[in-house]
Amino acid sequence: MYYRLLFYGFLLFILPNVLFAKLDTAVLRICFEKDNKPFMISTKDADIAEKEQFVPNKTGDSFIRKFSLKMDGTPFFTYRPYSDNCVSVIKVTPGVHRFSIDFKSVEYTSLESENTISHNFKADLLYDGTFKIVQGATATVEISQSRNKVSLYQSLDNKPVEGCEEKCDIPADIPVYFVTKADDSEVSCPVEYTLILKKSERNNLECYNDKTVRSILQKVVSENKVICKSNSEYAHFNVYGEGCVITVEADPTGLRIKEPEIFMLPLEKQSIRYFFQVGSEEEQPYVFSAEHKGKQIIPVKGSVIKFKEIIN
């Protein structure tokens, strides 16, 4: 049985300026437990808050874990910390309502509640409920590399997955991807080219010696200090041939050679290659884009994602 005296005493604690007038809504005090122990949901300690990645509470006097509280499936925002492991939910309208908690939509975590909280709320009364927090479904990631150039990122807010340099467990169903650090070492670009001939010249390909063409282009690269990232980029030129004489494409003014386009080297020509495997599936090449990002992988509950570096 719920007593209005307890209700008003509770309101006096959480809302010291409240007047003792009958309210047309109820209050729900929700506590959190994990492994049958109090589970911290808020703190006034800034060091703990930083370690747990809590965010400032809207009142400004404490920090709170990121979560989404829902009433009957709709986000519900009128709550505030009551203690380290409890919150006070106010302005609950009379009637039967079900409260649920969602961590995964706002934070990269496998935490979830194994239960919901339901009451037939009546105005002017205080109710209690407890969320039982558990670790939800996870997958395992194993990373094998010698240079620590590649990091695992998660797609929820596109940030690195902390503590996953070699092996870690990650939440299932939230896509992840690998990112490679830009190679700081830069070299004079290797060259590739497209030879463009008139129709009448197409039978004279033998006179356009590949070694000679590359030598000319490498001289252009050297004289113009065209720089590429080591082992991953190359300079591409358009070269015109006529009468066994080549001309490198000019810029719009016609006074200078057009700057080459810089492309990523094909995977088979890179000295360092990467592969990934999900569970018992076949191992596949893992290719990084010019932005140093790779394809997304959706972790499946209980699966193992293996990523490895191969140096030729």
Side-chain angles (χ1 to χ4, degrees):
M1 182 176 180
Y2 299 96
Y3 297 94
R4 286 186 173 81
L5 181 60
L6 176 61
F7 176 74
Y8 287 126
F10 181 74
L11 282 182
L12 181 62
F13 180 84
I14 65 168
L15 300 172
N17 296 323
V18 72
L19 297 177
F20 285 92
K22 185 173 180 178
L23 302 179
D24 56 4
T25 57
V27 172
L28 172 62
R29 180 173 57 196
I30 299 176
C31 293
F32 296 75
E33 290 183 359
K34 186 173 183 289
D35 300 326
N36 296 317
K37 298 177 182 178
F39 178 70
M40 181 178 288
I41 207 73
S42 68
T43 182
K44 292 186 177 182
D45 189 315
D47 292 333
I48 294 176
E50 182 178 5
K51 179 181 178 182
E52 298 293 331
Q53 298 184 347
F54 286 12
V55 295
N57 183 38
K58 56 188 175 183
T59 60
D61 60 352
S62 62
F63 304 88
I64 193 165
R65 188 180 295 275
K66 288 186 281 187
F67 61 82
S68 174
L69 180 68
K70 296 180 180 180
M71 184 177 78
D72 302 328
T74 301
F76 197 84
F77 301 103
T78 54
Y79 61 84
R80 60 180 295 178
Y82 171 66
S83 66
D84 283 357
N85 70 304
C86 300
V87 296
S88 305
V89 183
I90 59 175
K91 298 183 180 179
V92 181
T93 55
V96 176
H97 298 298
R98 179 176 61 88
F99 282 85
S100 59
I101 195 82
D102 174 20
F103 297 99
K104 292 182 179 180
S105 66
V106 293
E107 183 178 22
Y108 187 67
T109 180
S110 61
L111 291 175
E112 60 187 29
S113 176
E114 65 179 10
N115 67 299
T116 59
I117 297 171
S118 296
H119 286 294
N120 184 4
F121 291 93
K122 296 181 180 180
D124 215 27
L125 293 179
L126 167 66
Y127 295 80
D128 285 298
T130 301
F131 281 127
K132 304 288 186 179
I133 307 302
V134 296
Q135 292 289 350
T138 61
T140 300
V141 176
E142 298 176 357
I143 301 174
S144 175
Q145 59 176 330
S146 60
R147 305 182 307 150
N148 293 324
K149 277 194 63 178
V150 175
S151 299
L152 181 67
Y153 277 62
Q154 44 85 4
S155 63
L156 185 64
D157 52 12
N158 296 304
K159 291 182 179 180
V161 177
E162 299 293 336
C164 203
E165 289 73 25
E166 295 181 0
K167 183 177 181 179
C168 65
D169 291 331
I170 60 174
D173 303 324
I174 301 176
V176 294
Y177 57 94
F178 292 95
V179 173
T180 181
K181 298 176 185 175
D183 195 332
D184 293 333
S185 60
E186 296 182 330
V187 296
S188 184
C189 288
V191 297
E192 296 291 339
Y193 65 93
T194 299
L195 180 60
I196 303 171
L197 302 174
K198 293 181 178 179
K199 288 184 179 180
S200 59
E201 288 281 331
R202 290 178 184 171
N203 294 325
N204 297 327
L205 286 174
E206 301 81 16
C207 71
Y208 296 101
N209 183 274
D210 178 72
K211 186 176 180 180
T212 302
V213 176
R214 290 182 183 276
S215 177
I216 293 171
L217 296 179
Q218 286 166 353
K219 185 178 180 181
V220 171
V221 164
S222 176
E223 290 177 350
N224 291 276
K225 296 181 172 57
V226 183
I227 301 300
C228 288
K229 292 183 174 65
S230 175
N231 298 317
S232 62
E233 292 179 333
Y234 69 94
H236 179 271
F237 294 86
N238 285 331
V239 175
Y240 296 89
E242 186 174 359
C244 295
V245 176
I246 67 160
T247 304
V248 183
E249 183 179 12
D251 68 8
T253 68
L255 302 176
R256 300 181 57 187
I257 290 175
K258 182 180 178 181
E259 291 186 7
E261 293 185 270
I262 306 299
F263 293 114
M264 296 289 291
L265 279 170
L267 184 64
E268 65 273 9
K269 293 187 177 182
Q270 295 185 26
S271 61
I272 300 170
R273 294 182 293 163
Y274 299 98
F275 295 85
F276 79 102
Q277 182 179 20
V278 179
S280 59
E281 295 178 6
E282 185 178 351
E283 186 176 84
Q284 303 177 51
Y286 194 85
V287 182
F288 292 98
S289 68
E291 290 76 33
H292 309 289
K293 293 172 59 176
K295 65 175 288 186
Q296 288 191 350
I297 303 169
I298 300 177
V300 177
K301 177 182 177 181
S303 67
V304 178
I305 300 170
K306 295 181 179 180
F307 178 93
K308 68 179 181 181
E309 168 194 88
I310 300 294
I311 300 177
N312 295 335

